PDB file of all heavy atoms in Angstrom:
ATOM      1  N   SER A 300      82.764 111.364   8.231  1.00 72.00           N
ATOM      2  CA  SER A 300      83.539 111.222   7.011  1.00 72.00           C
ATOM      3  C   SER A 300      83.374 112.474   6.070  1.00 72.00           C
ATOM      4  O   SER A 300      82.403 113.207   6.174  1.00 72.00           O
ATOM      5  CB  SER A 300      83.096 109.946   6.200  1.00 72.00           C
ATOM      6  OG  SER A 300      81.674 110.072   5.950  1.00 72.00           O
ATOM      7  N   ARG A 301      84.362 112.599   5.287  1.00 69.00           N
ATOM      8  CA  ARG A 301      84.436 113.844   4.450  1.00 69.00           C
ATOM      9  C   ARG A 301      83.600 113.747   3.209  1.00 69.00           C
ATOM     10  O   ARG A 301      82.856 114.657   2.822  1.00 69.00           O
ATOM     11  CB  ARG A 301      85.869 114.076   3.972  1.00 69.00           C
ATOM     12  CG  ARG A 301      86.673 114.677   5.090  1.00 69.00           C
ATOM     13  CD  ARG A 301      88.148 114.876   4.725  1.00 69.00           C
ATOM     14  NE  ARG A 301      88.869 113.987   5.515  1.00 69.00           N
ATOM     15  CZ  ARG A 301      89.638 113.072   4.990  1.00 69.00           C
ATOM     16  NH1 ARG A 301      89.788 112.846   3.704  1.00 69.00           N
ATOM     17  NH2 ARG A 301      90.319 112.170   5.731  1.00 69.00           N
ATOM     18  N   ASP A 302      83.581 112.601   2.529  1.00 71.00           N
ATOM     19  CA  ASP A 302      82.894 112.561   1.244  1.00 71.00           C
ATOM     20  C   ASP A 302      81.870 111.464   1.090  1.00 71.00           C
ATOM     21  O   ASP A 302      80.814 111.661   0.601  1.00 71.00           O
ATOM     22  CB  ASP A 302      83.885 112.468   0.090  1.00 71.00           C
ATOM     23  CG  ASP A 302      84.863 111.203   0.244  1.00 71.00           C
ATOM     24  OD1 ASP A 302      84.835 110.659   1.281  1.00 71.00           O
ATOM     25  OD2 ASP A 302      85.569 110.923  -0.709  1.00 71.00           O
ATOM     26  N   LYS A 303      82.093 110.250   1.579  1.00 66.00           N
ATOM     27  CA  LYS A 303      81.145 109.172   1.521  1.00 66.00           C
ATOM     28  C   LYS A 303      80.385 108.986   2.931  1.00 66.00           C
ATOM     29  O   LYS A 303      81.078 108.700   3.862  1.00 66.00           O
ATOM     30  CB  LYS A 303      81.811 107.862   1.175  1.00 66.00           C
ATOM     31  CG  LYS A 303      82.256 107.689  -0.238  1.00 66.00           C
ATOM     32  CD  LYS A 303      82.860 106.293  -0.392  1.00 66.00           C
ATOM     33  CE  LYS A 303      83.152 106.014  -1.796  1.00 66.00           C
ATOM     34  NZ  LYS A 303      83.741 104.633  -1.900  1.00 66.00           N
ATOM     35  N   ASP A 321      77.499 102.543   7.457  1.00 90.00           N
ATOM     36  CA  ASP A 321      77.747 103.335   6.221  1.00 90.00           C
ATOM     37  C   ASP A 321      78.845 102.676   5.317  1.00 90.00           C
ATOM     38  O   ASP A 321      79.298 101.560   5.589  1.00 90.00           O
ATOM     39  CB  ASP A 321      78.054 104.790   6.505  1.00 90.00           C
ATOM     40  CG  ASP A 321      79.366 104.974   7.286  1.00 90.00           C
ATOM     41  OD1 ASP A 321      80.217 104.062   7.286  1.00 90.00           O
ATOM     42  OD2 ASP A 321      79.538 106.039   7.841  1.00 90.00           O
ATOM     43  N   GLU A 322      79.218 103.401   4.321  1.00 88.00           N
ATOM     44  CA  GLU A 322      80.187 102.892   3.330  1.00 88.00           C
ATOM     45  C   GLU A 322      81.585 102.841   3.861  1.00 88.00           C
ATOM     46  O   GLU A 322      82.428 102.186   3.291  1.00 88.00           O
ATOM     47  CB  GLU A 322      80.109 103.806   2.085  1.00 88.00           C
ATOM     48  CG  GLU A 322      78.831 103.720   1.365  1.00 88.00           C
ATOM     49  CD  GLU A 322      78.822 104.340  -0.019  1.00 88.00           C
ATOM     50  OE1 GLU A 322      79.740 105.180  -0.236  1.00 88.00           O
ATOM     51  OE2 GLU A 322      77.881 104.090  -0.769  1.00 88.00           O
ATOM     52  N   TYR A 323      81.960 103.522   4.959  1.00 88.00           N
ATOM     53  CA  TYR A 323      83.263 103.500   5.457  1.00 88.00           C
ATOM     54  C   TYR A 323      83.415 102.479   6.619  1.00 88.00           C
ATOM     55  O   TYR A 323      84.376 102.353   7.277  1.00 88.00           O
ATOM     56  CB  TYR A 323      83.708 104.838   6.016  1.00 88.00           C
ATOM     57  CG  TYR A 323      84.264 105.748   4.983  1.00 88.00           C
ATOM     58  CD1 TYR A 323      83.841 107.055   4.921  1.00 88.00           C
ATOM     59  CD2 TYR A 323      85.173 105.328   4.054  1.00 88.00           C
ATOM     60  CE1 TYR A 323      84.366 107.944   3.986  1.00 88.00           C
ATOM     61  CE2 TYR A 323      85.713 106.143   3.124  1.00 88.00           C
ATOM     62  CZ  TYR A 323      85.378 107.510   3.076  1.00 88.00           C
ATOM     63  OH  TYR A 323      85.802 108.311   2.115  1.00 88.00           O
ATOM     64  N   GLY A 324      82.303 101.728   6.920  1.00 89.00           N
ATOM     65  CA  GLY A 324      82.328 100.713   7.999  1.00 89.00           C
ATOM     66  C   GLY A 324      82.024 101.369   9.371  1.00 89.00           C
ATOM     67  O   GLY A 324      82.175 100.667  10.389  1.00 89.00           O
ATOM     68  N   ASN A 325      81.501 102.578   9.413  1.00 90.00           N
ATOM     69  CA  ASN A 325      81.171 103.193  10.664  1.00 90.00           C
ATOM     70  C   ASN A 325      79.840 102.646  11.135  1.00 90.00           C
ATOM     71  O   ASN A 325      78.912 102.575  10.324  1.00 90.00           O
ATOM     72  CB  ASN A 325      81.049 104.726  10.502  1.00 90.00           C
ATOM     73  CG  ASN A 325      82.361 105.361  10.081  1.00 90.00           C
ATOM     74  OD1 ASN A 325      83.428 105.028  10.708  1.00 90.00           O
ATOM     75  ND2 ASN A 325      82.337 106.276   9.201  1.00 90.00           N
ATOM     76  N   THR A 340      83.906 102.278  14.899  1.00 90.00           N
ATOM     77  CA  THR A 340      84.534 101.823  13.611  1.00 90.00           C
ATOM     78  C   THR A 340      85.271 100.539  13.904  1.00 90.00           C
ATOM     79  O   THR A 340      86.359 100.513  14.440  1.00 90.00           O
ATOM     80  CB  THR A 340      85.462 102.949  13.045  1.00 90.00           C
ATOM     81  OG1 THR A 340      84.752 104.111  12.875  1.00 90.00           O
ATOM     82  CG2 THR A 340      85.958 102.441  11.646  1.00 90.00           C
ATOM     83  N   SER A 342      85.435  98.111  11.418  1.00 88.00           N
ATOM     84  CA  SER A 342      85.870  97.592  10.168  1.00 88.00           C
ATOM     85  C   SER A 342      85.967  98.715   9.136  1.00 88.00           C
ATOM     86  O   SER A 342      85.265  99.760   9.332  1.00 88.00           O
ATOM     87  CB  SER A 342      84.757  96.610   9.597  1.00 88.00           C
ATOM     88  OG  SER A 342      85.021  96.339   8.259  1.00 88.00           O
ATOM     89  N   LYS A 343      86.816  98.652   8.164  1.00 89.00           N
ATOM     90  CA  LYS A 343      86.971  99.652   7.159  1.00 89.00           C
ATOM     91  C   LYS A 343      86.178  99.288   5.872  1.00 89.00           C
ATOM     92  O   LYS A 343      86.208  99.948   4.886  1.00 89.00           O
ATOM     93  CB  LYS A 343      88.379  99.867   6.789  1.00 89.00           C
ATOM     94  CG  LYS A 343      89.257 100.442   7.862  1.00 89.00           C
ATOM     95  CD  LYS A 343      88.806 101.855   8.163  1.00 89.00           C
ATOM     96  CE  LYS A 343      89.651 102.490   9.259  1.00 89.00           C
ATOM     97  NZ  LYS A 343      89.158 103.753   9.742  1.00 89.00           N
ATOM     98  N   ASN A 344      85.381  98.182   5.956  1.00 90.00           N
ATOM     99  CA  ASN A 344      84.633  97.677   4.787  1.00 90.00           C
ATOM    100  C   ASN A 344      83.264  98.284   4.729  1.00 90.00           C
ATOM    101  O   ASN A 344      82.646  98.646   5.774  1.00 90.00           O
ATOM    102  CB  ASN A 344      84.532  96.173   4.896  1.00 90.00           C
ATOM    103  CG  ASN A 344      85.843  95.424   4.833  1.00 90.00           C
ATOM    104  OD1 ASN A 344      86.599  95.566   3.851  1.00 90.00           O
ATOM    105  ND2 ASN A 344      86.227  94.732   5.909  1.00 90.00           N
ATOM    106  N   THR A 345      82.770  98.440   3.550  1.00 91.00           N
ATOM    107  CA  THR A 345      81.398  98.964   3.369  1.00 91.00           C
ATOM    108  C   THR A 345      80.402  98.012   3.924  1.00 91.00           C
ATOM    109  O   THR A 345      80.354  96.834   3.532  1.00 91.00           O
ATOM    110  CB  THR A 345      81.092  99.136   1.856  1.00 91.00           C
ATOM    111  OG1 THR A 345      82.034 100.051   1.296  1.00 91.00           O
ATOM    112  CG2 THR A 345      79.705  99.610   1.596  1.00 91.00           C
TER     113      THR A 345
END
Side-chain angles (χ1 to χ4, degrees):
S300 56
R301 284 178 249 120
D302 55 349
K303 284 184 175 179
D321 66 17
E322 292 190 344
Y323 277 135
N325 298 315
T340 304
S342 164
K343 295 291 183 191
N344 297 299
T345 299

